[in-house]
């Protein structure tokens, strides 16, 4: 990671003059953890804290800044020193201060162009650009995330003066002033009052129009970016970047803040844009139509209605919810132009050239890193399960990996990604898998999935002794791809709110679009180094919409008097329905079937034709009013939308808007004995904008099975701007479409001799669209003040004409109105009134309580209000499985851990949980010095005799992120993780606990009578070392016996322990006799990924248990029952219901013909995917669909989120059973049941695939992890503030949750340590760890070696499972123990060649290694021997001996004898001297030597076995794992 720092520093330094314009000192400050020599404290100071304050005061560069703002923490127990915010010069001065030892930076811990215009046929010599003067003087407003004003795309080269009509301005704000605007960027404003009101604690990082996210910069430059030569994304898409209207003006309106965007702010932006005088608005955001049934509830539709009335063209993105089903479209209001996304004919490639240009194979790639382009050796590693062969070679190589039965692409990618970059130049993967699921372009790689190309590679390698190749990237290929296609993500019509207007309108470039970006946001990482760029390739309908905005500006420049509808018509009627091969445009989201207008609208935009369309379909406000009246809108609703007293009385309603497309609905009637004919008629009027005299004839294409008639079939125009009308009728039977089809489509073209005017026509059998409203539960605000809890932000619509004469402005009137209804007279009205709207809507937005809202409804002028809404842009069974009983064994022997205090450093605690009640608890131990700290929604009364301490630490994270919003500033857990781990370790008995019926039983922790002290350090999934050190520091002082930590650093980031503040702090805990259990990490499958491997910690890996959660499907009258894995938490009937076989489940049409509840059955098909099927059923009618059965071979866990009742039948015999039953029964039925918990059937434990693996590179001589404990699907307490799942779009909350991770494993061992500590209070942390390890079980419940789920169920090695799976009952009586004290760890540190300074940091004493005999051979209950590979020597290489010295203490019988027994270690000679240990008294210590002899080149990379000391009486078996390996731990 250190290699990435220079790049990061450059970026930060470039930002300093802007970002910290007013505070150069603060700009340079960083937080450091400072280690001090406590013995050097001057006598003048009574405390170290006062000494540190004085020291900081003496070096401070800012005397006005209080020292308390610099000093973050003082540490006295875990480390000696403090943490502080320091500038570089202050740090330099500190290093010369008395007592200074070392400092380390505080660090976080781990928990949509250059080608579009070319493809569109746009040229500087002819066509739309020169005809429109490139959009000169047209003003485009972009409502998005702001702008990066320094971008070359927004320079004003070649621009004339700003139009005099422009009324906007550039608003000064943080890192933004008016000088940043120019003749291109003529306006910049920002709006966030709505976000602040909805989220009062929201942190605004850059409070100005400056774009820190990139999205707004990207969309703005697509619409109207100036010409930028030499633009590219690291060499890809290289050329001259330019927007669609490169001479148009830009005004930006920032409404997106840290991914929060509220409609109140967007309305304010539209409101201001209208006032400023924009000509075009570009909006790549929106509200999904399902959430509103009427336009008066859609504030964006309302605001843009006003824009339309002012002649402003609004282009809006269709949304990215496409592919799966119809009706997913956003921004479908008929006065908007709704834009779908399409691909272009550009591909980005890499290439592999084999040998001496024998063959070149290309592959898809956007790898941005450096590459040599030289011929290099090819090394075939087959399945790429090991890099062993790679280490034999010198210089750079290209690795080739091939699919295999015992490996997967994800594993291969991880292995190569983590390989040595000094050896691996690149990698080629020969695979059938979709690599995009695994590859993030972080290293040079090519994925070859074409069968012929794979064969070419393998043939070349097999026929050449020394194969070579050249790997190249950054190739941009034009014209080879079939394009455009409808992008798979692009949302589909129809639009639910006005489904008689066909949406989307048009297709525009949206996939892999190059445009400007903000340099604040990294664009990728290569070899862990962040990459930044001024341009980025992005995909989405967000990128498509600004293409149309730019095109509209060009048309507006040529035809300044055209209405928004006329411009839209010109774009639509000239759009191309064909791709670059002359075939119909295909739908990438529908297996490349021809796209329908519901996916692509009228077709792909054709800018050169759009400026001269011949005829146009126009529409004015009156037309939209008639449409709204056809919806039966009330006078109130009409007033909200039109802002006038318009009502539908006297108006002839018409749903037939004068639109350049048609959609006809034919209701299904499958029960009818005949199919009557139905006729749908449309009236249209067109205006001649072409030649003075022109004739057009009608041509209809497509529409198979329908009679389409146009009257008249010829239109003769005698003058320009003349308007003529025609009627189009579509006649067909009800339900004439085939059962598997949803729609039929075609087109009407008005053909003149020189031009074609086309309108899309379509018929569909869709009868009804389901609307879903998302309800958010109020539990999130449970602990806020009652007034604030009830306050919500509303958008209020007012009648401007009712304003009393006493008020000069509507703003004053609204303030007075709010003042009259306010419940809190002390609260300034300015804090309630968020925005005043005068142009887009009439009214305001405000924060109101329910009673205030009720009063407002009785105020003069009130019309309507709607809530402001966002817009889119680690157990009940563990203890049983471990053999723990209330009648015998560890629990009664230890009094359930009574009196032992477990400190849990995590996300806090939910004190009201039943797991933390003090039923049955005795008084708090007198030695306890801790307390329960009062904080937000937490007071000392919440503690009791179980929960005896609760503290919180966040000064470090606040110092690192000064703008972070701390939502619950107390020890209260709002995330759940801390409550889960604490209850796993020491939760009290809770009867009838379950996760919605799963894992039902009595919940309890490992040590149910132990005390809990919670130390909260996790805030919004962020945690900093300075806070964790402070927590450890305080826990030592408070007097905890055990510490449980489910967090940590990845060891690869630090080479030495003094750079790991957590390791240093826990060293102090060890010295105080505190046992520390820590999670191994969740970066599993690869070796060397372990966290928390310091030898004084107990490092815990995660294993599975023998519990499975299932559902069951019973076919017919109990003919056959099939079980399946499930954690579905919703309700189910458990009744026999009809089975409806829908085959590929592409349509729910047949379902609607059945009454009552049904169970849908879906089967794999070539033209559909499991993901498609799941989404279709998920969004089907819950009143009809009781559940679903998917007969599939796909991995369902990648797609299913337990949001509806489903079973996945993937076993072949069961698939046959289901299909046979359905085919043989006329009326098949079934029963679907859930919430079944099955015990004892699964083979367990296994090492969980996510659990991190050893060795630990900082001290590789100590085998890690130490132990395996339950970590998968563990039930424990949870915070009810954090939802656990959604079922049918409804969030579910629970006091218990089932989760997985090493975070769940570590507290099991913490609880076990507490039990052992109760029985053996004088045992050291090392002795307790020894007892746990030497009694662990290496076998599963079948008596076979524990398997590794992350390695295809092969037997696990100690590098995955440590000594084995914990056995609590045996651990309290281990027979012998391996002990270690501080002196032993000091010898180990000295063996690492630590300096006196490093030793002082860790030990906090003047200990040096002078006079100490260093030893890497720690007295540890495990062994690991490294055999360096010598591939130049004859196989198997010379013999090497590794020796270990150990001492064991007898904690069993007074007199006892133990015999050494060895197992495993194939190919190696293991010797123990002596072979027998005879103890004559208790606590006697004896020593032995173990030697491992073998060749340098082992038969396998990892060989393992064990040494067991077996007591002659048979009572005790003291087992230690042994590992021999060829791995080099420093090169993992």
């Amino acid at each position: 990671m250190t290699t990435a720092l220079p790049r990061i520093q450059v970026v930060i330094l470039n930002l300093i003059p802007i970002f910290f314009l007013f505070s150069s000192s603060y700009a340079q400050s960083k937080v450091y953890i400072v280690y001090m020599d406590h013995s050097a404290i001057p006598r003048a100071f009574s405390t170290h804290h006062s000494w540190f304050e004085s020291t900081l005061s003496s070096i401070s560069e800012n005397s006005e800044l209080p020292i308390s703002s610099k000093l973050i923490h003082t540490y006295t127990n875990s480390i000696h020193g403090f943490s502080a915010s320091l500038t570089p010069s202050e740090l330099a001065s500190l290093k010369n201060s008395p007592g200074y030892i070392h400092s380390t930076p505080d660090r976080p811990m781990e928990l949509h162009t250059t080608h579009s215009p070319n493809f569109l046929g746009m040229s500087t010599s002819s066509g739309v650009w020169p005809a429109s003067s490139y959009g000169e003087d047209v003003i485009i407003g972009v409502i998005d995330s702001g702008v990066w004003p320094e971008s070359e795309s927004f320079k004003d080269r070649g621009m004339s003066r700003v139009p005099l009509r422009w009324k906007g301005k550039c608003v000064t704000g943080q890192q933004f002033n008016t000088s940043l605007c120019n003749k291109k960027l003529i306006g910049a404003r920002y709006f966030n009052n709505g976000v602040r009101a909805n989220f009062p604690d929201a942190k605004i990082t850059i409070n100005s129009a400056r774009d820190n996210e990139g999205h707004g910069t990207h969309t703005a430059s697509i619409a109207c970016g100036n010409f930028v030569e030499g633009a590219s994304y690291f060499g890809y898409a290289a050329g001259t970047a330019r927007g669609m209207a490169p001479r148009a003006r830009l005004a930006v309106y920032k409404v997106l803040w840290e991914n929060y965007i509220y409609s109140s702010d967007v309305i304010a932006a539209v409101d201001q844009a209208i006032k400023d005088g924009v000509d075009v608005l570009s909006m790549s955001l929106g509200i999904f139509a399902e959430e509103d049934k009427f336009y008066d509830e859609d504030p964006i539709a309302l605001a843009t209605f006003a824009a339309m009335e002012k002649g402003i063209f609004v282009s809006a993105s269709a949304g990215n919810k496409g592919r799966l089903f119809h009706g997913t479209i956003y921004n479908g209001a008929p006065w908007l132009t709704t834009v779908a996304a399409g691909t272009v004919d550009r591909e980005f490639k890499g290439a592999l050239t084999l040998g001496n240009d024998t063959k070149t194979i290309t592959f898809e790639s956007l790898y941005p890193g450096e590459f040599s382009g030289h011929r290099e050796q090819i090394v075939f590693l087959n399945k790429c399960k090991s890099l062993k062969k790679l280490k034999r070679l010198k210089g750079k190589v290209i690795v080739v990996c091939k699919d295999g039965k015992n490996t997967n692409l994800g594993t291969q990618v991880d292995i190569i990604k983590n390989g040595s970059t000094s050896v691996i130049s690149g990698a080629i993967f020969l695979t059938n898998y979709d690599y995009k699921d695994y590859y993030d372009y972080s290293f040079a790689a090519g994925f070859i999935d074409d069968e012929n190309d794979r064969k070419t590679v393998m043939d070349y390698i097999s026929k050449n002794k020394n194969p070579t190749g050249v790997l190249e990237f950054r190739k941009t290929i034009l014209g080879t791809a079939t394009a455009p296609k409808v992008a798979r993500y692009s949302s589909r019509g129809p639009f639910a709110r006005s489904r008689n207007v066909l949406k989307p309108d048009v297709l525009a470039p949206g996939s892999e679009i190059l445009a400007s970006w903000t340099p604040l946001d990294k664009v990728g990482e290569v070899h862990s180094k962040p990459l930044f760029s001024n341009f980025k390739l992005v995909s989405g309908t967000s990128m498509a919409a600004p293409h149309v905005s730019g095109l509209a500006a060009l048309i507006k420049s040529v035809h300044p008097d055209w209405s928004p509808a006329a411009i839209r018509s010109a774009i639509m009627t000239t759009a191309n329905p064909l791709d670059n091969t002359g075939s119909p445009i295909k739908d990438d989201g529908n297996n490349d079937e021809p796209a329908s207008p519901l996916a692509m609208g009228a077709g792909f935009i054709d800018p050169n034709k759009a400026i001269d369309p011949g005829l146009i379909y126009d529409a004015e406000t009156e037309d939209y009013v008639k449409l709204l009246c056809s919806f039966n809108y009330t006078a109130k609703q009409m007033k909200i939308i039109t802002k006038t007293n318009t009502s539908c009385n006297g108006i002839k309603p018409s749903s037939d808007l004068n639109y350049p497309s048609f959609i006809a609905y034919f209701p299904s009637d499958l029960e009818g004995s005949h199919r009557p004919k139905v006729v749908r008629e449309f009236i249209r009027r067109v205006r001649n904008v072409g030649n003075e005299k022109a004739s057009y004839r009608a041509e209809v294409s497509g529409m198979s099975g329908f009679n389409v008639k146009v009257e008249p079939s010829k239109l003769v125009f005698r003058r320009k701007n003349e308007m003529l009308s025609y009627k189009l009728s579509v006649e067909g039977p009800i339900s004439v479409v085939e059962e598997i089809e949803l729609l039929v489509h075609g087109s009407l073209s008005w053909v003149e001799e020189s031009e074609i005017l086309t309108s899309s026509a379509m018929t569909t059998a869709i009868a009804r669209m389901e609307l879903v409203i998302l309800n958010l539960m109020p539990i999130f605000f449970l602990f806020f003040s009652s007034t604030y809890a009830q306050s919500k932000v509303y958008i209020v619509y007012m009648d401007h004409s009712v304003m009393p004469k006493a008020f000069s402005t509507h703003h004053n009137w609204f303030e007075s109105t709010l003042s009259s209804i306010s419940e809190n007279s002390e609260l300034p009205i300015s804090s309630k009134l968020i925005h005043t709207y005068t142009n887009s809507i009439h009214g305001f937005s405000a924060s109101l309580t329910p009673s205030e809202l009720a009063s407002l409804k009785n105020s003069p002028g009130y019309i309507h209000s709607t809530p402001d809404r966002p817009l889119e842009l680690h157990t009940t069974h563990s203890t049983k499985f471990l053999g723990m009983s209330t009648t015998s064994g560890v629990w009664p022997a230890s009094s359930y851990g009574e009196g032992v205090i477990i400190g849990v450093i995590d996300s806090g605690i939910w004190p009201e949980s039943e797991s933390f009640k003090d039923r049955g608890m005795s008084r708090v131990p007198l030695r306890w010095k801790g307390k329960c700290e009062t904080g937000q929604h937490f007071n000392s009364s919440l503690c009791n005799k179980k929960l005896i301490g609760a503290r919180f630490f966040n000064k470090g994270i606040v110092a690192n992120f000064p703008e972070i919003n701390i939502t619950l500033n107390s020890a209260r857990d709002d995330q759940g993780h801390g409550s889960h781990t604490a209850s796993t370790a020491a939760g009290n008995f809770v009867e009838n606990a379950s996760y919605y019926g799963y894992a039902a039983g009595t919940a309890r922790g490992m040590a149910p009578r132990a005390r809990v002290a919670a130390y909260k350090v996790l805030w919004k999934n962020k945690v900093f070392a300075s806070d964790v050190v402070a927590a450890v520091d305080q826990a030592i002082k408070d007097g905890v016996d055990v510490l449980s930590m489910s967090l940590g650093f990845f060891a690869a980031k630090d080479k030495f322990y003094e750079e790991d503040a957590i390791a240093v702090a826990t060293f102090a805990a060890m010295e105080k006799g505190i046992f520390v259990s820590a999670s191994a990490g969740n970066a599993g499958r690869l070796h060397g990924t372990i966290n928390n491997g310091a030898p004084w910690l107990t490092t815990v890996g995660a294993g599975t248990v023998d519990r499975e959660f299932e559902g069951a499907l019973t076919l017919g009258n109990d003919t056959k029952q099939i079980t399946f894995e499930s954690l579905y938490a919703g309700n189910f009937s458990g009744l026999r219901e009809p089975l409806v076989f829908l085959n590929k489940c592409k349509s729910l049409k047949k379902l609607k013909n059945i009454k009552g509840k049904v169970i849908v059955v879906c089967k794999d098909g070539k033209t559909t995917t499991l993901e498609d099927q799941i989404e279709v059923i998920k969004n089907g009618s819950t009143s009809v669909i009781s559940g679903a059965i998917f007969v599939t071979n796909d991995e369902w866990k990648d797609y299913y989120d337990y949001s509806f009742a489903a079973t996945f039948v993937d076993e072949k015999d069961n698939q046959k059973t289901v299909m046979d039953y359905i085919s043989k029964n006329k009326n098949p039925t079934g029963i679907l049941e859930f919430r079944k918990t099955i015990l004892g059937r699964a083979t367990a434990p296994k090492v969980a695939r996510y659990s991190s693996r050893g060795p630990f590179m900082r001290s590789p001589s100590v085998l890690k992890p130490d132990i395996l404990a339950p970590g998968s699907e563990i039930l424990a307490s949870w915070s009810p503030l954090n939802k656990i799942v959604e079922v049918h779009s409804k969030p579910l909350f629970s006091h218990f949750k089932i989760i997985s991770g090493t975070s769940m494993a570590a507290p099991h061992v913490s609880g076990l340590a507490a039990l052992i500590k109760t029985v053996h209070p004088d045992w050291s942390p090392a002795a307790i760890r020894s007892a746990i390890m030497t009694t662990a079980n290496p076998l599963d419940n079948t008596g076979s070696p524990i398997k590794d789920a992350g390695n295809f169920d092969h037997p696990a090695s100690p590098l995955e499972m440590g000594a084995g799976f914990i056995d609590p009952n045996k651990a309290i009586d281990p027979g012998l123990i391996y002990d270690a004290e501080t002196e032993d760890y000091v010898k180990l540190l000295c063996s690492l060649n630590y300096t006196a300074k490093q030793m002082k940091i860790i030990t906090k004493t003047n200990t040096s290694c002078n006079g100490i005999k260093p030893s890497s051979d720690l007295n540890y209950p495990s062994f690991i021997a490294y055999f360096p590979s010598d591939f130049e020597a004859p196989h198997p290489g010379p013999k090497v001996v590794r020796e270990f010295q150990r001492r064991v203490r007898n904690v069993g019988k007074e007199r006892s004898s133990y015999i050494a027994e060895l197992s495993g270690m194939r190919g190696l000679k293991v010797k123990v001297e002596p072979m027998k240990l005879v103890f004559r008294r208790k606590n006697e210590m004896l020593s032995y030597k173990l030697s491992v002899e073998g060749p340098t080149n082992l038969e396998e990379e990892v060989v393992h076995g064990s040494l067991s000391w077996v007591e002659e009486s048979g009572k005790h078996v003291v087992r230690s794992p042994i590992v021999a390996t060829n791995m080099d731990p420093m090169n993992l």
Side-chain angles (χ1 to χ4, degrees), residues 587-648:
D587 188 345
D588 188 44
N590 190 25
N591 302 297
D592 276 356
E593 293 290 323
S596 82
L598 285 176
M600 70 172 183
F604 202 63
I605 60 172
D606 188 330
N608 293 315
K609 290 184 178 179
I611 57 170
D612 185 16
L615 305 178
I616 58 172
Y617 295 75
D618 211 346
E620 304 296 341
T621 302
E622 179 184 350
D623 300 291
Y624 297 114
V625 167
K626 291 178 180 179
L627 175 67
L628 295 172
C629 287
S630 75
F631 301 150
N632 297 316
Y633 276 24
T634 64
K636 174 182 173 182
Q637 290 174 305
M638 293 299 292
K639 187 159 191 172
I640 292 170
I641 300 170
T642 67
K643 301 171 293 299
T644 68
N645 288 320
T646 298
S647 76
C648 295

Side-chain angles (χ1 to χ4, degrees), residues 1295-1307:
H1295 291 284
F1296 287 85
K1297 187 176 182 182
I1298 296 172
I1299 52 176
S1300 301
T1302 56
S1303 283
M1304 284 63 253

Side-chain angles (χ1 to χ4, degrees), residues 502 596-598 600-602 660-664 682 684 699-704 706 708 710 726 728-730 743-749 758-764:
L502 176 58
S596 82
L598 285 176
M600 70 172 183
S661 58
F662 309 85
I663 183 167
F682 306 86
R684 292 290 186 269
E699 290 186 2
V700 175
S701 65
M703 306 302 292
S704 174
F706 288 81
V708 181
V710 181
Y726 69 89
L728 180 141
S729 58
V730 181
L743 56 91
V744 173
H745 61 91
S747 67
L748 161 66
S749 298
T758 304
S759 292
S760 298
M762 179 164 64
T763 305
T764 178

Side-chain angles (χ1 to χ4, degrees), residues 313 334-335 337 501 505 562-575 602 610 612-620 623-624 656-662 682-690 696-700 710-712 715 717 721-728 747-751 756-761:
F313 177 95
W335 43 88
T337 297
V501 178
D505 294 311
W562 280 13
S563 70
I567 295 174
R568 176 180 59 219
S569 172
I571 296 172
M572 291 177 64
T573 61
T574 60
D612 185 16
L615 305 178
I616 58 172
Y617 295 75
D618 211 346
E620 304 296 341
D623 300 291
Y624 297 114
D656 189 19
L657 184 65
N658 193 48
Y659 215 79
S661 58
F662 309 85
F682 306 86
I683 302 295
R684 292 290 186 269
R685 61 186 185 275
V686 290
R687 178 154 55 98
N688 175 29
V689 293
Y696 291 83
R697 69 178 186 276
E699 290 186 2
V700 175
V710 181
E711 299 176 287
L715 297 175
F717 295 91
N721 290 317
E722 182 182 2
M723 296 188 70
L724 295 176
S725 298
Y726 69 89
K727 180 174 73 172
L728 180 141
S747 67
L748 161 66
S749 298
W750 287 101
V751 183
I756 300 177
L757 181 72
T758 304
S759 292
S760 298

